[in-house]
Amino acid sequence: MTQPPAPATALRIQPAALAQKVAQQLDRHRNGEAYPVIVVAADPVWPYDPMLALPGGQRARVVPCVSPLAIWEHLVADRGDEALVLLTDIPEASLGHGVRSRILRQQVITVEPWELVVEAFGAQVPDAALERERWAGPALLDAMPPAGWPRLATTVLTREVALRHLAAVRLGLDRRGADPDDLDVTTLLRWSAEPGAVEAFNLLRAEERDGLARWLVERFGRPARALFALVEAGRGADALPLGLVCEALWSLDTPEAVRAQGRIDHYFGGLNDDASVRGLAVAATQLVGMMLTDRDTAVRRQGHALLDRAEQLVTQFGAADSVGHSRILRSGFTRRVSAVAQALLTGLATPELGAAVDDLAAHQLAKAGAEAERLRRVQMAQRLVRWLSTEVAPPASVADGVQRQIADWGWVDRALNHVWAGEDAHPQLQSAFQAVFQRAQQRRRELDAAFANRLAAWAPAGPANDGDLLTVENLLPRVVQPLIRARRPVLLVVLDGMSAAVAVELAEELSQHWVEYDPLSGGDVGRRRPMVAALPTLTSVSRTSLFAGALRAGTQSTEKQMFDQGRWGADARIFHKGPARGGAGEVFAGELADAMADPTRLVAVVINTVDESLAHGREGDDAGWQLNDLGFLRSLLDLARSSGRAVLITSDHGHVLERGGEHVKAADASSARHRTGPAPAGPGEVELTGPRVVAEGHRIIALWDPSRRYRPMKAGYHGGASLAEVTIPLLAYLVPNVTDVPAGWAPVQDRQPDWWESTPPAAAQPDLAPPTPPARSRRKAAVVVGEALFDVPQPAAAPGVAAGSSDDLVAMLLATELFQTQHALTPRKIELGKIEAAMRALVEAKGVLSTAVLAQRAGELPARAGGFVTILQRIFNVDNYPVLSQVDDGRTVRLELALLRTQFGLPPEAA
């Protein structure tokens, strides 16, 4: 092996390398002396433990010696039972014969770096490229970890392997749990932002620092070149924030941006390489974007600190007017918020509003943290504007009102809750939220007024003339009792006070692990069902009526007595707040767990979290309800899932929230929202009479206006006659892929209101051009060069049907030669009628449908839903292009309509 010349300066040596060299010498040249003295040519500095552990359990004492006298003193001293290693940079010729005669081999042992390094890696020789890096041998020796370098399986130590391991040590990858294979541009930039990292790099010997930087630039290209130009200029710690600023400035050619670029060029020393600056900008933006959404709080905090520093640099370079378009800087986010606020203040669902919201959502800061919540509220305001742009007819009946409250207006209430939560930093957005809220709240008030009139006319007769309208007292007889007769284990959860708005959010989260069903579909397409509360809409009336199966008023004791009398099964059990709670270390009581384990028992559990929040308020300012907010519901549902129970989640009444309303004084007030005196109904009130009114004389005066109350202010109220109070949501669930769906149950077709995610029809906005829908992300179809691989005939549109019409799309699809070929090649044949029904259902649902609903619409058994979709994918995913895919862990099927048209040669969608 050709050895490079020795370095000009004394070699620094680490304990692992020294132990390796000493053990080598002792094994080869002991000469019978048990505890020899070994003099090693090295830098006479030893900041480590003086006792050096050697292989085989031996030990040696290490002493640095800066003079011949120091060496002699250690030679003549009594050193006991230990080998002695003396480190010195004194030339051997200066030691004299007397000293050399007393040391091992009568000479100073020189350390050849490549010999030790190659041996440490378990190799035999370095490759030629590594040997040419003369600085690398001493550097690898100096950087050797305490456990030594990792042993390789090859005989040749390559330049790539050696320098990657060296860089990993010098950059401290092990501190972040990384290894040499993780070294990339991202790792390099993360290193530059660590406190003291660049300073430590600059303390390396100049040869190693320059050599390592050259290799890293060679390996990782332009971003690394820009980074080490900053390091050389003493600005390395600012690489990431400066990269964020450059990402904004180097994408403009305005005079202001060009001037700021010139000021920044000084930071890079003599780099003068725009391509490298752009490379750093792209890499920095990607990395900081990932840091902002990292699971580790410390990493997210560091990402925000880098953004703060970037804003300081923006000010320093006078670039504030040139970075407003940035997709990651706070300046860019603020500009986008201003654009959204301006668009919202017009009060119209314009293309400009959609573009402004999409632009805000595309910003990196909109993906997590407080800014993500700001985006969510902006999107809720946008939805309210879209809803306000639609025509809304007043409820035609009580049944129509409560159904639309579940299917449409509960979503409005959800959006109103988020918009009311407001904005804490942007005055213009605050004004926009306030304007949108007031307009939407006024429309909701008008709907409540119309509903109150329908309720007053309906209350005397009740549900007799309303077909399948479900009332609170009929839940157990109509929904639960058939399950009991069929010996179906059931869990009934009553979330006291849950409104339609709360149910919308809860159902959205539960859809990740459960399939929602309509227990009263009667063979029709499933929909989420409403129930009508008893009057007044109080717990003492409506919840008692629910558990009694008849209109009643009572207390918790009454509910238990009525529920446990045997009508709903001999072992039916109801658990209220106290009995349901467990002791120390328990989520809920052992009695509840035992009852859930018994499949013959109907178990009912009351959770008061929502109702209690109306009286006492909630911690924090976040709007909406999630599963984790609702007591032990998550754990209870997990127990129900493991025991195979059908789950019914409902309430006894809804609620309205305090929104700065009016306190109306009433001496005869019986609750915050109803009174019982003889005085007639006044503004915001309605008189309700009849058997559904569980009060003296079957008469009450109830507030329908959500902005009024009779009692002192609380967080929310119930007892009145608004849609949000009278409407009770019913959520019914089974576990996925269940084989024995109860009779009459059908999967709910989970369809949001049209205005929730899409623009209202143009007819509703005659003066506005419909906005261009956002492009859907999809993979490109295969490109065929030259002759087409398959000649797929273009089917002609049916007479009177526009090319690309959704009404005729499926018929044209099934007529294509490609479909017929794909269908014939499928191992397990599916009836053509089922395929047609499934595709029509997907087209009608705009390409997204739950797997359970798709199977139901196609006439396939629920247990075969997964296999059914798999076969459809074999037919339609030609050449593995994802025309049909499953998302949400298989719970949802997505059809890419544009890709379907491309793959099967169908006409494009009509403009």
Side-chain angles (χ1 to χ4, degrees):
M1 168 190 325
T2 303
Q3 300 293 345
T9 57
L11 184 70
R12 287 185 298 192
I13 191 165
Q14 298 277 27
L18 183 61
Q20 179 181 330
K21 184 66 177 179
V22 170
Q24 180 189 88
Q25 293 297 312
L26 291 177
D27 288 343
R28 296 176 183 174
H29 309 288
R30 185 175 293 275
N31 295 332
E33 188 174 352
Y35 305 107
V37 177
I38 305 172
V39 178
V40 177
D43 191 355
V45 176
W46 190 255
Y48 313 104
D49 187 342
M51 298 308 300
L52 180 68
L54 304 175
Q58 293 178 293
R59 300 208 312 166
R61 186 159 58 92
V62 181
V63 179
C65 296
V66 297
S67 67
L69 180 59
I71 295 176
W72 181 258
E73 287 177 350
H74 286 288
L75 286 175
V76 299
D78 183 10
R79 58 181 184 273
D81 297 338
E82 59 187 18
L84 181 63
V85 179
L86 304 180
L87 304 182
T88 186
D89 57 355
I90 302 170
E92 182 178 306
S94 301
L95 293 183
H97 178 73
V99 170
R100 293 199 302 272
S101 66
R102 292 171 175 263
I103 62 177
L104 184 68
R105 299 181 60 193
Q106 290 81 49
Q107 67 183 48
V108 175
I109 306 300
T110 59
V111 177
E112 298 294 346
W114 287 124
E115 179 183 352
L116 285 184
V117 168
V118 169
E119 183 179 333
F121 276 103
Q124 295 179 8
V125 292
D127 69 1
L130 178 58
E131 280 194 299
R132 284 194 293 270
E133 302 286 356
R134 296 174 178 270
W135 59 272
L140 284 161
L141 199 62
D142 182 46
M144 188 180 296
W149 293 114
R151 309 289 286 184
L152 304 178
T154 60
T155 59
V156 178
L157 176 61
T158 65
R159 176 173 178 263
E160 169 71 16
V161 169
L163 297 189
R164 182 173 284 272
H165 280 82
L166 174 62
V169 170
R170 293 311 197 196
L171 302 183
L173 296 193
D174 58 325
R175 292 194 298 272
R176 294 198 304 274
D179 57 43
D181 291 335
D182 297 320
L183 182 60
D184 55 15
V185 170
T186 296
T187 306
L188 197 58
L189 291 176
R190 282 287 301 274
W191 161 79
S192 72
E194 292 179 358
V198 173
E199 290 83 350
F201 180 80
N202 285 328
L203 293 176
L204 297 175
R205 292 185 178 183
E207 298 88 350
E208 179 182 356
R209 186 173 63 246
D210 296 342
L212 197 54
R214 281 195 305 273
W215 178 78
L216 289 168
V217 169
E218 173 194 317
R219 188 70 181 80
F220 300 120
R222 288 168 175 166
R225 179 176 293 110
L227 168 63
F228 284 103
L230 290 170
V231 171
E232 181 69 21
R235 307 287 188 176
D238 272 341
L240 278 174
L242 189 63
L244 303 182
V245 177
C246 292
E247 192 273 335
L249 291 177
W250 261 254
S251 60
L252 294 179
D253 58 0
T254 63
E256 294 80 6
V258 171
R259 282 194 292 271
Q261 291 172 17
R263 288 188 285 270
I264 289 177
D265 278 338
H266 294 297
Y267 256 53
F268 288 95
L271 179 63
N272 195 26
D273 181 359
D274 274 2
S276 293
V277 173
R278 293 178 190 276
L280 173 66
V282 171
T285 301
Q286 292 176 343
L287 172 56
V288 176
M290 291 188 294
M291 294 173 70
L292 294 173
T293 57
D294 197 277
R295 293 183 178 181
D296 189 331
T297 303
V299 175
R300 294 198 304 273
R301 188 183 302 117
Q302 185 184 21
H304 283 284
L306 292 169
L307 286 180
D308 294 339
R309 175 57 180 159
E311 293 296 335
Q312 293 173 357
L313 292 173
V314 167
T315 302
Q316 178 179 327
F317 296 126
D321 294 335
S322 302
V323 298
H325 65 287
S326 170
R327 59 194 175 95
I328 193 166
L329 293 176
R330 299 196 197 282
S331 302
F333 190 82
T334 301
R335 186 201 63 79
R336 286 165 166 80
V337 170
S338 297
V340 166
Q342 292 173 4
L344 285 173
L345 284 170
T346 67
L348 298 174
T350 61
E352 289 76 17
L353 173 59
V357 175
D358 290 344
D359 198 26
L360 182 65
H363 197 278
Q364 292 283 352
L365 282 173
K367 295 176 173 59
E371 289 81 0
E373 181 58 33
R374 181 176 286 115
L375 171 64
R376 186 177 299 111
R377 292 173 185 176
V378 162
Q379 291 170 330
M380 292 296 182
Q382 179 192 25
R383 287 161 175 156
L384 289 177
V385 170
R386 285 201 292 249
W387 178 65
L388 288 165
S389 300
T390 64
E391 294 181 1
V392 178
S397 64
V398 168
D400 178 49
V402 295
Q403 183 58 54
R404 290 166 74 186
Q405 175 68 12
I406 289 293
D408 198 305
W409 301 332
W411 297 78
V412 174
D413 292 344
R414 174 188 180 184
L416 283 168
N417 292 342
H418 284 270
V419 172
W420 173 267
E423 164 63 25
D424 59 357
H426 200 286
Q428 193 175 14
L429 188 58
Q430 290 174 346
S431 299
F433 281 169
Q434 185 177 31
V436 171
F437 181 89
Q438 289 174 346
R439 290 182 60 218
Q441 183 76 335
Q442 177 58 31
R443 176 184 269 194
R444 282 291 287 112
R445 187 174 180 276
E446 293 166 359
L447 294 173
D448 281 324
F451 176 75
N453 292 331
R454 302 299 183 195
L455 185 64
W458 175 85
N465 299 322
D466 274 328
D468 63 350
L469 178 62
L470 191 61
T471 56
V472 69
E473 73 274 15
N474 287 330
L475 173 66
L476 291 176
R478 290 187 58 186
V479 177
V480 176
Q481 203 161 47
L483 296 174
I484 296 171
R485 291 197 190 104
R487 301 183 182 279
R488 185 92 190 196
V490 182
L491 169 65
L492 172 62
V493 179
V494 178
L495 292 177
D496 197 316
M498 178 178 68
S499 63
V502 176
V504 163
E505 293 187 294
L506 178 59
E508 196 172 87
E509 188 172 359
L510 290 178
S511 66
Q512 299 175 21
H513 302 289
W514 295 82
V515 177
E516 185 179 358
Y517 281 80
D518 177 357
L520 298 174
S521 72
D524 296 332
V525 175
R527 59 186 173 90
R528 188 171 296 158
R529 296 276 167 173
M531 296 193 300
V532 181
L535 303 172
T537 53
L538 299 174
T539 298
S540 60
V541 173
S542 211
R543 199 174 78 187
T544 302
S545 299
L546 186 156
F547 285 121
L551 292 170
R552 295 282 189 279
T555 63
Q556 184 171 301
S557 298
T558 309
E559 294 170 5
K560 184 172 179 58
Q561 178 184 357
M562 300 294 291
F563 189 77
D564 292 350
Q565 64 186 208
R567 184 179 178 187
W568 319 117
D571 294 324
R573 289 292 307 275
I574 181 173
F575 292 86
H576 291 90
K577 179 178 178 180
R581 293 289 185 184
E586 298 176 326
V587 176
F588 35 70
E591 278 188 275
L592 175 54
D594 293 341
M596 289 287 290
D598 185 349
T600 66
R601 286 185 171 186
L602 166 63
V603 178
V605 180
V606 177
I607 298 178
N608 298 92
T609 309
V610 177
D611 196 44
E612 289 175 349
S613 75
L614 303 179
H616 307 295
R618 297 176 60 193
E619 294 290 337
D621 297 324
D622 289 342
W625 290 87
Q626 300 297 318
L627 193 55
N628 285 338
D629 299 327
L630 295 167
F632 54 75
L633 179 58
R634 181 186 294 278
S635 298
L636 192 62
L637 291 175
D638 288 343
L639 204 57
R641 183 184 180 92
S642 64
S643 59
R645 287 181 178 267
V647 175
L648 301 172
I649 302 176
T650 189
S651 181
D652 49 352
H653 54 73
H655 66 261
V656 294
L657 296 173
E658 172 59 44
R659 297 295 188 237
E662 178 185 358
H663 182 196
V664 180
K665 294 182 179 180
D668 59 342
S670 296
S671 76
R673 297 274 296 161
H674 89 282
R675 59 185 179 85
T676 56
E685 297 179 327
V686 64
E687 181 176 349
L688 301 174
T689 61
R692 288 202 60 74
V693 181
V694 185
E696 184 176 353
H698 296 288
R699 175 188 177 275
I700 61 171
I701 303 294
L703 286 168
W704 58 261
D705 188 343
S707 65
R708 297 189 170 203
R709 55 185 166 81
Y710 296 130
R711 296 213 169 148
M713 182 185 295
K714 292 186 177 180
Y717 318 97
H718 53 89
S722 70
L723 275 160
E725 293 166 284
V726 174
T727 305
I728 301 174
L730 173 61
L731 308 176
Y733 292 100
L734 297 175
V735 294
N737 301 322
V738 66
T739 57
D740 53 340
V741 176
W745 285 42
V748 168
Q749 186 164 328
D750 184 16
R751 181 173 291 177
Q752 301 165 334
D754 289 339
W755 53 266
W756 188 257
E757 294 295 352
S758 62
T759 302
Q765 314 176 66
D767 297 330
L768 300 174
T772 303
R776 179 174 296 180
S777 175
R778 57 181 176 264
R779 192 179 301 178
K780 292 182 179 179
V783 177
V784 179
V785 180
E787 296 292 330
L789 297 180
F790 298 98
D791 290 326
V792 182
Q794 299 288 337
V801 179
S805 167
S806 297
D807 294 337
D808 201 53
L809 178 65
V810 176
M812 290 190 292
L813 170 67
L814 301 185
T816 63
E817 181 181 343
L818 180 57
F819 167 77
Q820 293 167 5
T821 300
Q822 290 288 106
H823 185 230
L825 293 174
T826 305
R828 176 190 157 198
K829 296 296 184 294
I830 302 180
E831 297 174 22
L832 202 58
K834 289 186 176 182
I835 298 176
E836 180 177 3
M839 297 306 289
R840 288 195 184 279
L842 281 166
V843 172
E844 290 170 6
K846 300 179 182 178
V848 180
L849 206 59
S850 76
T851 303
V853 171
L854 181 66
Q856 188 261 345
R857 293 284 296 277
E860 189 63 81
L861 293 175
R864 297 179 181 174
F868 176 67
V869 174
T870 299
I871 296 175
L872 291 180
Q873 288 177 299
R874 290 179 180 175
I875 296 173
F876 293 106
N877 291 357
V878 182
D879 295 331
N880 291 323
Y881 281 91
V883 172
L884 202 67
S885 58
Q886 287 185 284
V887 296
D888 297 332
D889 294 330
R891 293 185 295 274
T892 303
V893 179
R894 183 184 297 276
L895 172 65
E896 294 288 352
L897 288 165
L899 193 53
L900 176 75
R901 293 176 185 274
T902 300
Q903 290 292 80
F904 287 84
L906 302 174
E909 187 174 4

